[in-house]
């Protein structure tokens, strides 16, 4: 960690390190409960300055860049992030408790891959498309940058979730004010270092950690043209209301309570081997995790046993140890919230098959023992609300129609998984799930495919070409017949 300063009392505005006028906040290591850094917090004045800088860059040098020039810059940006991959992974694991084996992939090398993908995409995407008119004449359809973007990101996957906004926004020609969560603001400044190294013009990227009041100020700021938000459904509703009133484009990637349908013909060895990565990834602090397991009554006891034994044997410990599968949660408040759900599940009489306690082995850190509840009705609180911790429920179903009904009987619709020995059967079931994404015998985001939810899981899509178009607006130029 010697190559990363953990004290960041400054903000990054207009290509410069600026003293934060909103004070500072301590960053506490999830595994030790000890302060290991501090970050500056933006004031309203800082947000004003960041938006002015972003507007000047949009109207000035960045607005004059061709798509090829933007692609070249993004490639340099991605290379600079890749050079910081291992340091970024360690820093995030200290901030939020993510096991380092996962953090290296998603926080380390994931952002660099996104910048490379969007650099290649903007090189091959036509900015203007001539179309013949149906009534004579011609039309040129242009794809122009939407403008100044306010990107508001959470603490659970800080590097990739920021990159999912930064890379397509910059590829489209937008400028960005990034507002990272204070819990994981330290790693956000690696984007500033990479921007400077890549030669990104001043003001194209600005980074302003902030509290809730100033975050709301940013979202409603008249100088913002679009908001891109990842976070809780409650916060997303509030942001959506503001953007709706202002007629401001918004992308909302929100919560989930996804189901894993275990079909009668499922290979339970395959399912159990994938459980940690699909249902308990990042200590359960993952919006798309399949935390509701739906099991056929004909194999119900078998499924409960497989899930229980798999979860019981997961390695809990120091997130910087490569052997660790479950690390601590991000904060004491998050730990207490998750334990509250566990106590509620016990009080409601659901059968606890493993877990249910706080720290199972470490004497410090915000740990929660991986927990499984069986015989949980789909109407139960622990089956309906997003817990955001290492807690799974198992619910029986009679036939595939009931399995689909139970999977869809949720206010959320972000993800889901199907487990079957017949891929075609899995695809057919996936088509019936009310969700933005579904995995068959697998779940992993694809950079080239859209990610996002329906219902209370959000509006809009990130990743893929759809992620680029979210930062473009169409303009039609009508021409007379020649």
């Amino acid at each position: 960690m010697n190559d990363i300063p953990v004290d960041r009392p400054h903000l990054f505005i207009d290509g410069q390190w600026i003293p934060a006028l909103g004070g500072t906040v301590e960053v506490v290591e999830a595994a030790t409960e000890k302060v290991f850094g501090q970050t500056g917090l933006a004031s309203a004045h800082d947000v004003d300055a960041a938006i002015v800088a972003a507007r000047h860059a949009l109207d000035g040098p960045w607005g004059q860049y061709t798509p090829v020039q933007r692609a070249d810059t993004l490639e340099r940006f991605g290379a600079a992030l890749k050079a910081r991959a291992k340091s970024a992974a360690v820093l995030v694991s200290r901030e939020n408790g993510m096991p380092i084996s996962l953090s290296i992939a998603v926080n380390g090398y994931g952002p660099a891959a996104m910048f490379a993908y969007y650099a290649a995409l903007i090189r091959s995407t036509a900015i203007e498309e001539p179309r013949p008119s149906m009534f004579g004449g011609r039309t040129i359809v242009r794809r122009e940058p939407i403008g100044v973007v306010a990107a508001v990101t959470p603490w659970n996957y800080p590097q990739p979730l920021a990159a999912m906004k930064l890379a397509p926004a910059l590829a489209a020609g937008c400028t960005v004010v990034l507002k990272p969560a204070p819990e994981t603001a330290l790693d956000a400044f690696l984007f500033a270092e990479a921007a400077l190294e890549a030669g990104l013009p001043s003001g194209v990227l600005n980074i302003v950690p902030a509290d809730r009041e100033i975050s709301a100020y940013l979202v409603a700021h008249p100088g913002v043209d679009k908001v891109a938000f990842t976070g809780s459904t409650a916060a997303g509703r509030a942001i959506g209301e503001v953007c709706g009133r202002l007629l401001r484009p918004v992308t909302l990637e929100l919560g989930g309570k996804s189901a894993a349908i275990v079909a009668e013909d499922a290979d339970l060895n395959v399912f159990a081997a994938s459980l940690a990565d699909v249902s308990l990834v990042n200590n359960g602090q993952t919006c798309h995790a399949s935390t509701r397991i739906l099991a056929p009554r004909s194999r119900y006891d078998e499924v409960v046993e497989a899930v229980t034994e798999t979860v019981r044997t997961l390695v809990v410990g120091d997130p910087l140890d490569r052997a660790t599968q479950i690390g601590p949660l991000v904060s004491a408040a998050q730990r207490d919230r998750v334990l509250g759900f566990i106590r509620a599940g016990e009080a409601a009489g659901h059968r606890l098959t493993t877990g249910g306690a706080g720290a199972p082995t470490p004497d410090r850190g915000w740990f929660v023992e991986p927990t499984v509840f069986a015989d949980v009705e789909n109407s139960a609180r622990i089956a309906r609300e997003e817990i955001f911790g290492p807690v799974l429920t198992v619910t029986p179903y009679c036939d595939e129609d009931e399995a689909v009904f139970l999977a869809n009987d949720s206010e959320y619709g972000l993800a889901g998984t199907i487990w079957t020995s017949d891929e075609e059967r899995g695809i057919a079931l996936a088509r019936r799930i009310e969700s933005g994404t579904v995995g068959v015998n697998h779940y992993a985001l694809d950079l080239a495919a859209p990610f996002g939810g329906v219902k209370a899981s959000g509006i809009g899509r990130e990743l893929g070409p759809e992620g680029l178009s979210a930062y473009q607006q169409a303009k039609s130029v009508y021409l007379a017949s020649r």
Side-chain angles (χ1 to χ4, degrees):
M1 293 298 297
N2 292 333
D3 58 334
I4 299 179
V6 292
D7 286 324
R8 296 282 197 175
H10 295 80
L11 309 176
F12 185 69
I13 297 175
D14 202 16
Q16 301 178 59
W17 299 106
I18 306 296
L21 298 181
T24 60
V25 64
E26 294 178 334
V27 179
V28 181
E29 189 163 4
T32 66
E33 302 179 45
K34 294 181 180 179
V35 174
F36 78 103
Q38 65 172 347
T39 184
L41 293 178
S43 67
H45 177 78
D46 293 320
V47 169
D48 291 341
I51 291 174
V52 167
R55 180 65 60 186
H56 285 166
L58 183 70
D59 296 338
W62 188 241
Q64 305 305 313
Y65 272 43
T66 66
V68 170
Q69 289 174 312
R70 294 201 296 270
D72 289 343
T73 305
L74 261 63
E75 287 175 350
R76 294 193 299 271
F77 202 133
L81 289 174
K82 187 174 182 179
R84 293 164 170 79
K86 293 182 180 179
S87 297
V90 171
L91 183 53
V92 173
S93 290
R94 295 184 72 189
E95 290 173 316
N96 71 6
M98 180 183 292
I100 190 65
S101 57
L102 172 65
S103 193
I104 287 173
V106 299
N107 293 299
Y109 293 102
M114 288 184 215
F115 274 79
Y117 171 79
Y118 281 105
L121 186 63
I122 198 62
R123 285 187 192 278
S124 62
T125 301
I127 299 304
E128 294 190 346
E129 174 193 349
R131 297 183 188 176
S133 172
M134 295 180 62
F135 305 104
R138 295 161 294 141
T139 298
I140 297 173
V141 178
R142 287 180 49 80
R143 297 176 179 86
E144 299 181 342
I146 208 163
V148 175
V149 175
V152 182
T153 55
W155 46 257
N156 59 329
Y157 289 83
Q159 287 280 303
L161 290 176
M164 285 167 67
K165 296 160 182 57
L166 294 178
L170 298 182
C174 298
T175 56
V176 181
V177 177
L178 173 64
K179 202 297 293 181
E183 294 91 339
T184 52
L186 295 177
D187 70 89
F189 291 106
L190 296 177
F191 287 110
E193 293 177 0
L196 291 171
E197 187 173 313
L200 198 69
S202 297
V204 176
L205 172 62
N206 307 272
I207 302 176
V208 290
D211 60 19
R212 289 187 179 184
E213 179 182 354
I214 300 303
S215 297
Y217 178 79
L218 169 64
V219 166
H221 199 287
V224 168
D225 298 305
K226 175 188 170 72
V227 175
F229 172 77
T230 298
S232 71
T233 294
R237 291 186 194 279
I239 291 172
E241 289 178 4
V242 171
C243 291
R245 185 178 70 251
L246 297 173
L247 300 179
R248 176 171 296 167
V250 62
T251 298
L252 301 172
E253 197 273 281
L254 308 177
K257 190 69 178 179
S258 302
I261 297 179
V262 181
E264 284 190 321
D265 66 345
D267 185 331
L268 290 189
N269 290 326
V270 172
F271 173 59
S274 303
L275 194 63
D277 293 333
V278 171
S279 298
L280 292 170
V281 62
N282 192 21
N283 317 324
Q285 298 176 138
T286 301
C287 54
H288 59 68
S290 293
T291 55
R292 287 189 297 140
I293 298 170
L294 308 181
R297 290 189 182 276
S298 61
R299 301 184 67 186
Y300 184 71
D301 291 341
E302 189 182 357
V303 173
V304 170
E305 181 181 2
V307 171
T308 300
E309 290 307 307
T310 300
V311 172
R312 181 179 289 143
T313 59
L314 293 176
V315 178
V316 180
D318 181 358
L320 298 181
D321 185 338
R322 285 180 175 270
T324 293
Q325 295 170 286
I326 301 290
L329 302 186
V330 69
S331 66
Q334 184 66 14
R335 176 202 58 196
D336 293 345
R337 179 180 185 274
V338 173
L339 288 175
F341 274 102
I342 293 173
R343 298 288 88 81
E346 291 178 310
H350 305 303
R351 179 159 63 99
L352 184 69
T353 66
T354 189
T361 50
D363 57 0
R364 293 186 68 84
W366 299 307
F367 291 87
V368 171
E369 189 173 7
T371 299
V372 177
F373 284 100
D375 309 340
V376 179
E377 295 182 357
N378 207 50
S379 59
R381 181 188 174 200
I382 59 172
R384 302 202 71 80
E385 296 185 31
E386 185 176 39
I387 297 174
F388 228 59
V391 181
L392 305 181
T393 63
V394 188
T395 299
Y397 69 84
C398 292
D399 55 28
E400 287 187 356
D401 287 341
E402 185 181 19
V404 171
F405 172 81
L406 292 173
N408 292 338
D409 182 24
S410 171
E411 70 169 316
Y412 298 105
L414 182 59
T417 51
I418 313 292
W419 301 88
T420 174
S421 295
D422 182 349
E423 186 177 86
E424 290 303 315
R425 179 187 193 183
I427 294 171
L429 281 171
R431 292 187 178 116
R432 299 174 64 188
I433 303 302
E434 297 170 357
S435 178
T437 62
V438 183
V440 177
N441 297 324
H442 162 84
Y443 190 93
L445 273 62
D446 178 357
L447 294 186
F451 172 75
V454 300
K455 299 190 285 188
S457 289
I459 297 172
R461 294 293 181 267
E462 296 185 302
L463 299 179
E466 293 80 2
L468 176 65
S469 63
Y471 295 94
Q472 296 173 317
Q473 53 192 356
K475 174 189 287 184
S476 295
V477 180
Y478 307 121
L479 304 172
S481 298
R482 291 176 178 171

